[in-house]
DNA sequence: TCGCCTTGTGGGCAAATATTCATTTGGAAC
DNA sequence: GTTCCAAATGAATATTTGCCCACAAGGCGA
């Protein structure tokens, strides 16, 4: 007979319990305070801590008619195998917030497949948001592989760190790409790419059953620029060459054709695998400035799956 | 180019959008009102409607240490194949509210299995709560079968109607048991049971891959009494015979041995199938008065899976 | 030991939210 | 066309929540 008694529950336990009572039980914070024997303020802090720590997940269980129509329109127009359009959150809010839960649901759907799959992942804010929104789920049968180098220009080894965080959550084997996202010289990059272990990772990624990637715009607010992978002069140069977007660091033009650029030879990681109906490559992206990039990637079939928000979906369809 | 425009979104669409903006977007109801062009009160009403209609799902993404310990204790003590213990919501709240989301998650896990399964279901408040909490999920490959007659003493054909509601949600073929829960005479019951279609349903249920049932207590607040299936005198009689609980209407004693009672011959439906490690029979039940019933059912192996709340788990382990 | 800083706590208050109630609106029955 | 009812609305109000601040406890270096 081993009946556990509550001695010193961790702060997260307390927070989770408070949030549970608040959101699921519908108690007021006063009642929670009484129930848990703490002050009301502490109850309030516990609830907000649980929310901040992502212990609580809210999901919409209803397909808005307007979003469904957009999904259908995108699906048929671009021959998508997966498509999710979420309601927007208003013009001046981070659209990642809107699409992260849906992207996470999409990823969870894949993770729940019983047979072993290779899941390739890009990086970026949307990817990170997606992984953060993934719930606790065990998926040790799958294999997670990164498309993109994880060494940032400043030498730090964790550009968003999408693979690691996800692997930690689902306890799956994972293969980060331990090369610079972008090397200083083509030679340095070639050296990295020729290393045996890295070739292995590349082979694995090439055979990915499902791929999740962000989509970067190449306008003046390009993530490649913001994150320091391109210098302003380089950005202007590729803009001149017709660049409108980028997936896994590979830059393409308005028709979604990959461009043959000098910087390509310095790029680590690898291009997203080619799309096939049974090998979806799903873009997770939203925001007005990304519209041309998303449209281009869909047009040429770099992507055959998309999770986005309402406003972006409309924008893409209007192009 | 077919860009949908928002003309007259349904009330549920509006509610879902408002709730989305509120919970996911973190807007205040004032902002939502402005965004959607309605009054603040209306925004408030939309949000609460969405919550009431279950359009929004909140789930806790954290296993409380104390609950995990209880799960482990129950699992080893009673050789359970599935076990979930949720935090309670305080003594004077409906415990169904606490366990329904977890039970629904358990059911969804089964529904997501790709190969076709036979899923047997009991009835009761906990079952209904579970089904209500199930999200939108397609599972047409499975087959839902009821263990219990669906004709109530007053002749109405929907004693909680668990099967129908679930089938409607997941679009699975379903086999209600179109017999009285309890007939007036043994002969009437025998007549019903001998009908061909009903025998088919019984056979199906016997081979169920997974079974979900409620657990009824046989104290003075027995659900069988409350719902009018037993008369007070009958209840006292079976109490005298040692009845402590009931699963799918079949009454058992404190050791979980089914009792041979006169009313058995009038019971429609069928007993829960025997437990096997690969054929879980999962009890969904919580509440102080159910503790002896749950303990008995676990002890004799009527159940080999359980979803309950903290307080009940402690009570069961303390027996 | 003393200050100093970090971290957590409770009180109070303004903002946000829920509820109540009187009123209007839309529609069905007559 | 009228009447009646039920549902929806907006205003008023009560409750709840989020936030700021002042303060206390505890670690840490001087």
């Amino acid at each position: 007979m081993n009946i556990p008694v509550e001695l010193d529950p961790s702060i997260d336990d307390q927070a989770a319990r408070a949030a549970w009572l608040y959101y699921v039980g519908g108690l007021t914070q006063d009642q929670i305070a009484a129930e848990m024997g703490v002050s009301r303020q502490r109850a309030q802090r516990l609830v907000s801590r649980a929310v901040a720590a992502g212990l609580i997940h809210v999901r919409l269980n209803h397909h808005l008619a307007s979003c469904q129509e957009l999904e259908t329109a995108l699906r048929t127009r671009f021959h998508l195998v997966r498509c999710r359009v979420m309601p927007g959150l208003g013009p001046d809010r981070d659209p990642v917030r809107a699409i992260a839960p849906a992207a996470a649901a999409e990823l969870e759907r894949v993770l729940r497949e019983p047979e072993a799959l290779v899941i390739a992942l890009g990086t970026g804010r949307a990817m990170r948001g997606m992984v953060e929104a993934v719930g606790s789920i065990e998926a040790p049968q799958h294999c997670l592989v990164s498309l993109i180098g994880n060494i940032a220009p400043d030498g730090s080894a964790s550009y968003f760190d999408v693979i690691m965080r996800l692997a930690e959550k689902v306890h799956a084997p994972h293969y980060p790409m331990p090369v610079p996202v972008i090397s200083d010289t083509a030679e340095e990059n070639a050296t990295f790419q020729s290393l045996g272990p890295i070739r292995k990772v590349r082979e694995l990624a090439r055979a990915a059953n499902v791929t999740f990637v962000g989509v970067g715009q190449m306008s003046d607010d390009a993530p490649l620029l913001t994150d320091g992978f391109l210098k302003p002069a380089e950005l202007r140069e590729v803009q001149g060459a017709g660049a409108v977007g980028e997936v896994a660091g590979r830059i393409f033009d308005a028709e979604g054709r990959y461009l043959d650029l000098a910087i390509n030879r310095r790029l680590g990681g690898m291009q997203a695998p080619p799309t096939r109906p049974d090998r979806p490559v799903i873009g997770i992206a939203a925001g007005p400035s990304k519209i041309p990039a998303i449209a281009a990637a869909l047009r040429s079939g770099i992507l055959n799956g998309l999770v986005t928000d309402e406003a972006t979906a409309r924008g893409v369809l209007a192009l």
Side-chain angles (χ1 to χ4, degrees), chain A:
Chain A
M1 178 106 30
N2 178 17
I3 305 170
V5 283
E6 208 169 308
L7 290 168
D8 181 19
S10 81
I11 185 86
D12 269 5
D13 272 16
Q14 283 197 290
R17 182 179 298 268
W20 169 263
L21 292 168
Y22 187 65
Y23 287 107
V24 181
L27 311 220
T28 72
Q29 297 181 350
D30 264 322
Q31 294 172 296
I32 295 168
E35 180 85 27
M36 298 181 58
V38 298
S39 70
R40 190 191 69 79
Q41 294 86 323
R42 183 154 171 79
Q44 199 277 331
R45 282 188 184 105
L46 287 170
V47 172
S48 62
R49 160 186 280 263
V51 174
L55 267 35
I56 228 73
H57 283 202
V58 181
R59 246 172 225 194
L60 183 61
N61 196 22
H62 179 90
H63 259 43
L64 287 169
S66 57
C67 291
Q68 258 180 330
E69 287 167 24
L70 288 163
E71 286 171 10
T72 310
L74 286 167
R75 233 188 273 269
T76 56
R77 171 100 164 269
F78 297 110
H79 313 289
L80 303 184
V81 296
R82 306 289 319 160
C83 184
R84 226 35 238 292
V85 175
M86 301 309 285
L89 295 176
D92 36 49
R93 299 197 171 249
D94 185 2
V96 167
R97 199 161 167 174
I99 60 173
E106 202 61 42
L107 175 54
E108 286 179 23
R109 221 182 57 88
V110 174
L111 290 170
R112 265 191 286 264
E113 293 288 329
E115 72 266 34
L117 299 175
V118 177
I119 303 171
L121 295 160
T123 46
R125 285 159 190 79
M127 290 281 108
R128 191 189 31 179
M130 172 179 78
V131 169
E132 260 169 27
V134 166
S136 66
I137 168 173
E138 287 293 317
Q141 71 274 32
H142 301 311
C143 168
L144 309 175
V145 55
S146 186
L147 289 173
I148 301 195
N150 68 341
I151 301 178
D154 60 6
S156 77
S158 62
Y159 176 47
F160 292 125
D161 214 14
V162 169
I163 284 270
M164 297 306 218
R165 286 177 199 229
L166 182 60
E168 206 169 292
K169 280 199 176 185
V170 306
H171 303 121
H174 50 289
Y175 298 84
M177 186 82 78
V179 304
V181 178
I182 185 162
S183 304
D184 284 336
T185 66
E187 290 70 40
E188 185 184 314
N189 185 44
T191 311
F192 269 110
Q193 301 296 334
S194 64
L195 296 175
I198 288 165
R199 279 222 296 273
K200 284 264 171 61
V201 174
R202 292 170 64 87
E203 262 165 52
L204 201 55
R206 211 187 316 278
N209 299 98
V210 193
T211 305
F212 289 87
V213 289
V215 178
Q217 67 276 26
M218 297 303 293
S219 43
D220 293 344
D221 58 343
L224 286 183
L225 179 73
T226 316
D227 296 332
F229 297 116
L230 283 188
K231 296 191 187 62
E234 293 172 323
L235 176 61
R236 274 194 301 279
E237 189 190 320
V238 297
Q239 283 175 337
V244 308
E246 147 274 312
V247 162
R250 263 62 186 184
I251 296 167
F252 48 80
D253 68 11
E255 293 306 315
R257 289 174 304 227
Y258 285 117
L259 295 171
D260 186 17
L261 300 164
I263 61 156
N264 285 2
R265 314 211 200 307
R266 289 161 41 214
L267 272 175
M270 56 177 299
Q271 185 172 309
T275 51
R276 284 172 32 181
D278 60 331
R279 298 261 174 104
V281 177
I282 302 171
I284 311 295
S289 63
K290 287 186 190 287
I291 290 174
I294 295 169
L298 292 176
R299 216 171 269 147
S300 70
I302 292 176
L303 305 175
N304 63 348
L306 182 66
V307 176
T308 191
D309 72 4
E310 240 180 324
T312 311
R314 279 185 217 287
V316 167
L317 286 166
L319 275 188

